[in-house]
Amino acid sequence: MNEINNNNPLETAKEEKRSLNFVEQIVEKDLAEGVNDGRVQTRFPPEPNGYLHIGHAKAICIDFGIAQKYNGVCNLRFDDTNPTKEDVEYVDAIVEDIHWLGFQYGAIYYASDYFEDLYAFAERLIMEGHAYVDEQSAEEIAQQKGTPTQAGVDSPYRNRPKEESLDLFRRMNAGEFEEGAMTLRAKIDMASSNMHFRDPIIYRIIKHPHHRTGTQWKVYPMYDFAHGQSDFFEGVTHSICTLEFVPHRPLYDYFIDLLKDKDSHYRPRQYEFNRLNLTYTMMSKRKLLQLVKEGLVNGWDDPRMPTICGYRRRGYTPKAIRNFIDSIGYTKYDGMIDVALLEHAVREDLNKEAIRVSAVLDPIRLVITNYPEDQVEYFDAVNNPENEADGTHSIAFSRELWIEREDFMEEAPKKYFRLTPGNEVRLKNAYIIRCTGCKKDEAGNVLEVYAEYDPDTRSGLPGSNRKVKGTIHWLSTQHSIDAEVRLYDRLFVDEDPSSVEGKTLQEMLNPNSLQVISNAKVEEYLQGASEGDKFQFQRTGYFVVDKDSTKEHLVFNRTVSLKDTWSKIVAKH
């Protein structure tokens, strides 16, 4: 089921970068042969009916990447042919996502820019005998289409006079008929082995205001009719899409052949690549919209969502997403990619960029009983060992500290190398301490931990070379600040949620996908942190400042944990 069983994207990533994918091979062949006068023009054609997800990011990378690599142009063109589902909110969000991923487009276009041309082409098809108005319902049309092994049945309106069809089509657009009363169908071949050729609907009545054209139009083109023609009007040379459009390609070419000048050497061509399927991830835009509308997540940018804005809020970086997509490549067969590979790409990028800080998520008080009560020392903490240029920052040390509750056990197993009575640990960047005991309440819950420090083991002094098996992080109780920390996990419990049957979306959700910690402690150093700032919490994971943060109330989202499950997967193969 998992693509990693057949090949290792990490092991082959360098080879894939050195070699050309099949789309690049096509482009280079076309350039060498002077096809379309040596031009390369692509387009990214999202529907403005939702937010973009990680699968769209894969399409964005190849659409814009091909144009960039071959000195071409990539246009952003919104497929706004269904006004009942479209919204300016989605248009603005898509523009923001593309910019955030690091791509620039040649221009912004809309399918609605070509409504006049498409309508004129439809009238021409009617008059040339290639289209007719059908008064049957959608259900009747579907029943007459037949099956892949059985020919369809002609509509009773298939051979109506072209003048009658033209008149009805114009009256459809004038608003004389109700939605569903009539459609315009292409007249092709009801016995074709390709179901898309069995007189497809190319226009339907929609009486809903369009976000750009208002109430000007009452009929709107179907995707299969609008897409290829829009490519042609725009000058697209390579129309790149996902594999589910392979059966649509003959129809794409059919309409282009009817539209273009017979003597013209220019024509767009459609090419298909494998879509992105991630484990534990839902890619259906319809299902993602359902999650939002039913309140099962906190909006499109919920950090558990696979949307680009959700990943952005969670702290993923554009570079990490692009590196991940480069590593999996583009092929002509579908597979399932382990989400651990995406998380690995994020860790690799953040490891080089994120500043290391201390944060205690489940605090318990540690009292250094032999440390002076009024004394405060400052230690240098390395901001990022992967980048010396990032320098250091100071962290305060005092008699009373916060440590993680799990870093103390009164009765510990043999291989427990953290705090337990009689055991020594290193306080990171500071001293070695020996645990002397703890204080408990009447119920036996530990309230405080006690220890003594060895002043000769201060970091940087000769005595600091003394070795102990455990190192833990800490914070001064006097010099730390409160924070809210949100621990995000995978949204779905099933590896392939799209294939699950018999369950509602809510039943498929991971009940532990979000844990909110309201009493966490972080360094004073983070007081001025701003939305989007990224940090590594020592021994815990990578975190980003959430948009809900204020100066008085810091909120951090966990981007990924430090544990890299992908490295274990690679080791097995």
Side-chain angles (χ1 to χ4, degrees), residues 192-247:
S192 173
S193 59
N194 186 332
M195 297 292 288
H196 296 284
F197 265 46
R198 296 187 183 181
D199 291 11
I201 296 172
I202 59 177
Y203 265 92
R204 76 284 205 200
I205 301 171
I206 299 179
K207 293 187 174 181
H208 190 282
H210 190 279
H211 70 102
R212 294 188 73 235
T213 61
T215 57
Q216 178 182 355
W217 299 94
K218 302 297 186 299
V219 291
Y220 289 88
M222 300 295 289
Y223 176 86
D224 276 342
F225 186 71
H227 183 67
Q229 282 69 270
S230 296
D231 282 349
F232 180 83
F233 296 141
E234 214 163 278
V236 169
T237 57
H238 300 81
S239 185
I240 310 167
C241 54
T242 46
L243 288 175
E244 62 264 34
F245 290 99
V246 169

Side-chain angles (χ1 to χ4, degrees), residues 457-507:
T457 58
R458 176 187 169 114
S459 292
L461 294 178
S464 67
N465 292 327
R466 185 157 68 84
K467 302 296 183 183
V468 291
K469 290 186 176 180
T471 299
I472 64 173
H473 65 285
W474 51 271
L475 289 170
S476 168
T477 59
Q478 296 173 297
H479 304 87
S480 59
I481 55 179
D482 296 332
E484 178 183 318
V485 174
R486 299 169 181 172
L487 303 179
Y488 290 98
D489 201 351
R490 292 164 186 172
L491 185 58
F492 293 96
V493 293
D494 295 289
E495 185 176 57
D496 185 6
S498 298
S499 66
V500 174
E501 297 179 357
K503 287 185 181 180
T504 65
L505 270 180
Q506 188 167 7
E507 291 171 334

Side-chain angles (χ1 to χ4, degrees), residues 10-223:
L10 284 181
E11 294 296 326
T12 59
K14 291 182 180 179
E15 285 187 25
E16 289 177 357
K17 287 183 179 180
R18 287 194 297 269
S19 62
L20 300 177
N21 63 48
F22 77 95
V23 179
E24 292 169 331
Q25 292 172 4
I26 290 169
V27 172
E28 293 204 357
K29 181 175 181 293
D30 287 346
L31 288 173
E33 295 175 357
V35 176
N36 292 321
D37 298 323
R39 288 190 310 108
V40 173
Q41 184 169 324
T42 60
R43 82 293 166 268
F44 176 60
E47 296 177 71
N49 61 358
Y51 283 67
L52 300 183
H53 55 60
I54 188 69
H56 295 111
K58 182 176 182 180
I60 289 170
C61 285
I62 195 166
D63 287 330
F64 287 91
I66 288 288
Q68 188 177 61
K69 182 172 183 177
Y70 296 103
N71 297 316
V73 173
C74 180
N75 293 332
L76 169 60
R77 184 178 74 235
F78 290 100
D79 174 33
D80 55 343
T81 55
N82 188 353
T84 62
K85 297 182 178 180
E86 295 156 6
D87 197 293
V88 175
E89 172 192 353
Y90 301 136
V91 172
D92 295 340
I94 290 168
V95 169
E96 181 182 4
D97 287 346
I98 292 171
H99 282 156
W100 180 76
L101 283 171
F103 296 103
Q104 301 295 325
Y105 38 77
I108 295 182
Y109 294 90
Y110 296 83
S112 55
D113 292 336
Y114 310 115
F115 279 175
E116 293 281 358
D117 295 316
L118 291 167
Y119 184 83
F121 180 45
E123 288 198 342
R124 196 183 103 195
L125 291 179
I126 293 172
M127 295 310 294
E128 291 177 354
H130 298 301
Y132 61 95
V133 170
D134 195 329
E135 297 180 42
Q136 296 182 106
S137 67
E139 292 76 15
E140 290 172 319
I141 292 174
Q143 290 174 358
Q144 292 174 352
K145 279 212 166 184
T147 68
T149 57
Q150 181 180 357
V153 177
D154 285 357
S155 164
Y157 302 98
R158 195 172 196 265
N159 296 312
R160 75 188 323 161
K162 55 187 177 182
E163 293 81 8
E164 184 180 333
S165 280
L166 181 63
D167 176 65
L168 287 171
F169 184 52
R170 289 174 174 175
R171 290 166 62 191
M172 286 165 59
N173 191 45
E176 292 187 26
F177 308 110
E178 294 305 312
E179 293 185 7
M182 297 179 183
T183 57
L184 182 67
R185 296 177 66 181
K187 187 177 182 180
I188 309 179
D189 182 2
M190 289 299 293
S192 173
S193 59
N194 186 332
M195 297 292 288
H196 296 284
F197 265 46
R198 296 187 183 181
D199 291 11
I201 296 172
I202 59 177
Y203 265 92
R204 76 284 205 200
I205 301 171
I206 299 179
K207 293 187 174 181
H208 190 282
H210 190 279
H211 70 102
R212 294 188 73 235
T213 61
T215 57
Q216 178 182 355
W217 299 94
K218 302 297 186 299
V219 291
Y220 289 88
M222 300 295 289
Y223 176 86

Side-chain angles (χ1 to χ4, degrees), residues 356-377:
R356 276 58 167 167
V357 295
S358 289
V360 179
L361 305 190
D362 188 12
I364 188 172
R365 191 180 300 270
L366 169 67
V367 181
I368 312 297
T369 55
N370 64 334
Y371 192 86
E373 290 190 21
D374 298 329
Q375 183 170 313
V376 177
E377 295 180 80

Side-chain angles (χ1 to χ4, degrees), residues 280-299:
Y280 302 99
T281 308
M282 182 77 74
M283 293 294 194
S284 165
K285 196 187 293 185
R286 180 177 60 84
K287 293 290 182 66
L288 296 180
L289 177 61
Q290 185 180 343
L291 287 171
V292 174
K293 286 191 170 182
E294 293 183 5
L296 300 176
V297 294
N298 299 316

